Amino acid sequence: MTTLKERYQNLLGRLEMNTLEWVGLDIGSSSVKMVRGAWHGKRFVASGAAQFEISDGSSADPQKQEELIVAIRHCLQKANLKTPYAVCAHGGPEVLTRHFRFPPIPEEALEQAISLEAQQMSPFEVGQSIVAFQSIPAAGGSAVNGRQGVLVVALEEAIERKNEWVKAAGGKVLLMDVEGLAAMNCLTCCLPESLDGAVALVQVGNRFTTVAILGENGIPFIRDLTYAGKNIMTSLQQQTGLAEREIRAALFGADQTGESISPSLLAALKNAATRSIADINDTLRYYLTQNSGSQLRRIFLTGGWALSGPFVELIAQALSVQVEAFNPFRTLAIQAPPAQETLMKLSGPALTVAAGLAMRTLS
């Protein structure tokens, strides 16, 4: 039986870049998060982290763009790098990640096959997207058994926009990853190697919810769902008449549980999360239908909403598989300034993508 790490290691090739240091930079719609660290042999040591909150709004708004640049600059300064290199990621409706499988074809025909596959699956116009792929050995490890892997199609304009923000903040993007793959990279580096079966990571962010599943075949499955934290918060405000700060104080306070908040707020949370739970369940069922014989062993909840005890409890009660909040810094070694170490330990689930980006080896 292969381990999760062994199954995942083919998703990105490796290139030794010992002279470079970089950070994982997660540029979200409501905050920018940074994790700095380095591999020491097979051990990743986290040496820094930062989070900078920003107002919600369209990234096309010049004022929001300036706010994003300020947040990115703050995080890069906290990293304290001589040259502020960053590995970033993209997610949501402007990027698609799909599994491909072809019958046996010669190496020289692979790129053309990938191009045709991308054109069929992509909603973006030709010439407006960037296509990337990573082959993963098929059963038996030979091209005779066909070719398979991961295909990513992203809107070029969206990627360039993030590149420009980082550049304006004084940094440089070394690699643009996919948020779901980065989160899964972090998870597979932190989980026990003995864990078998398929595992799912559900990241509930502000604008979208990412479901990432890694099966025993080593092929990642990534889907971004449109109902997410912003929708849940809006529903809670409408149902209760409370301000967002009051809701956050109740749901995200230290050591809060479903028994320590008012029954009316708990009922409102259950109602607000109904669609999110249904969307997640539908996605999991679709995956299991498409991968007959697969068994989902565990679901790990990440993102900002994984910091809410009542929300995690609600998801755990609603899904038939074991659910737990995932904090990578419970297992990772930390050698960071006290304030940054505290941030990692308290807000680890929200830093999962940034940590996965910091763990990347560049190719």
Side-chain angles (χ1 to χ4, degrees):
M1 181 186 71
T2 59
T3 69
L4 288 173
K5 291 181 183 178
E6 290 170 337
R7 282 182 260 154
Y8 193 86
Q9 66 184 1
N10 292 303
L11 290 180
L12 284 179
R14 291 176 177 269
L15 178 66
E16 293 297 328
M17 303 182 74
N18 295 327
T19 60
L20 292 182
E21 286 189 285
W22 59 87
V23 297
L25 192 63
D26 178 14
I27 305 172
S29 61
S30 61
S31 67
V32 176
K33 297 169 281 287
M34 177 278 295
V35 170
R36 179 184 177 184
W39 287 100
H40 298 270
K42 295 183 178 181
R43 180 172 175 256
F44 183 83
V45 179
S47 57
Q51 181 171 357
F52 196 93
E53 301 296 329
I54 53 179
S55 60
D56 197 11
S58 172
S59 60
D61 182 353
Q63 184 175 347
K64 176 62 179 290
Q65 291 184 24
E66 185 59 36
E67 193 176 357
L68 278 163
I69 293 169
V70 170
I72 294 168
R73 185 180 296 117
H74 167 86
C75 288
L76 291 176
Q77 288 172 347
K78 287 288 186 180
N80 196 31
L81 289 176
K82 183 177 181 181
T83 304
Y85 291 116
V87 174
C88 300
H90 204 61
E94 295 171 325
V95 62
L96 294 174
T97 306
R98 296 292 185 268
H99 169 221
F100 69 83
R101 181 181 286 114
F102 301 132
I105 57 175
E107 183 70 31
E108 58 270 19
L110 181 58
E111 287 198 17
Q112 183 178 3
I114 290 289
S115 178
L116 291 173
E117 186 79 5
Q119 290 178 28
Q120 292 178 5
M121 65 171 267
S122 173
F124 313 132
E125 294 185 15
V126 176
Q128 294 186 344
S129 59
I130 294 176
V131 178
F133 70 95
Q134 176 64 49
S135 295
I136 297 175
S142 171
V144 173
N145 298 308
R147 295 181 181 274
Q148 64 176 349
V150 180
L151 170 63
V152 176
V153 183
L155 193 62
E156 185 172 12
E157 179 185 357
I159 292 176
E160 286 303 315
R161 192 163 57 236
K162 283 193 174 179
N163 279 325
E164 288 301 318
W165 293 339
V166 175
K167 182 179 179 181
K172 180 179 180 180
V173 176
L174 289 178
L175 172 72
M176 188 65 72
D177 202 345
V178 177
E179 291 180 10
L181 292 177
M184 184 58 73
N185 182 50
C186 180
L187 179 66
T188 56
C189 288
C190 295
L191 285 183
E193 293 191 6
S194 59
L195 187 66
D196 61 349
V199 295
L201 183 147
V202 177
Q203 172 139 324
V204 184
N206 183 50
R207 290 293 183 92
F208 56 90
T209 297
T210 299
V211 178
I213 305 172
L214 186 65
E216 291 183 284
N217 61 359
I219 303 294
F221 170 93
I222 310 290
R223 290 295 184 273
D224 290 321
L225 312 174
T226 56
Y227 193 87
K230 182 179 180 180
N231 306 96
I232 294 171
M233 182 58 71
T234 299
S235 176
L236 287 170
Q237 290 176 285
Q238 292 173 343
Q239 291 181 75
T240 64
L242 297 173
E244 181 174 341
R245 67 178 183 278
E246 296 174 287
I247 295 172
R248 288 193 172 277
L251 296 182
F252 293 83
D255 301 322
Q256 292 296 324
T257 66
E259 297 179 355
S260 60
I261 65 174
S262 69
S264 60
L265 181 55
L266 195 59
L269 177 63
K270 184 175 182 180
N271 183 51
T274 297
R275 179 177 166 183
S276 183
I277 292 168
D279 287 351
I280 294 168
N281 258 324
D282 287 347
T283 305
L284 296 177
R285 280 197 294 267
Y286 172 81
Y287 173 82
L288 293 174
T289 299
Q290 296 297 310
N291 295 269
S292 57
S294 293
Q295 288 186 310
L296 193 58
R297 298 296 188 184
R298 202 180 303 180
I299 298 173
F300 296 91
L301 200 63
T302 66
W305 278 83
L307 300 175
S308 169
F311 181 75
V312 174
E313 288 180 21
L314 181 62
I315 298 296
Q317 291 168 7
L319 301 181
S320 58
V321 181
Q322 180 183 345
V323 177
E324 63 183 85
F326 172 65
N327 185 342
F329 301 101
R330 289 176 184 165
T331 56
L332 292 176
I334 302 175
Q335 296 177 3
Q340 297 186 36
E341 180 176 358
T342 298
L343 175 65
M344 294 182 214
K345 291 180 176 179
L346 294 181
S347 301
L351 299 171
T352 299
V353 170
L357 295 171
M359 293 174 177
R360 280 299 192 207
T361 52
L362 303 187
S363 63

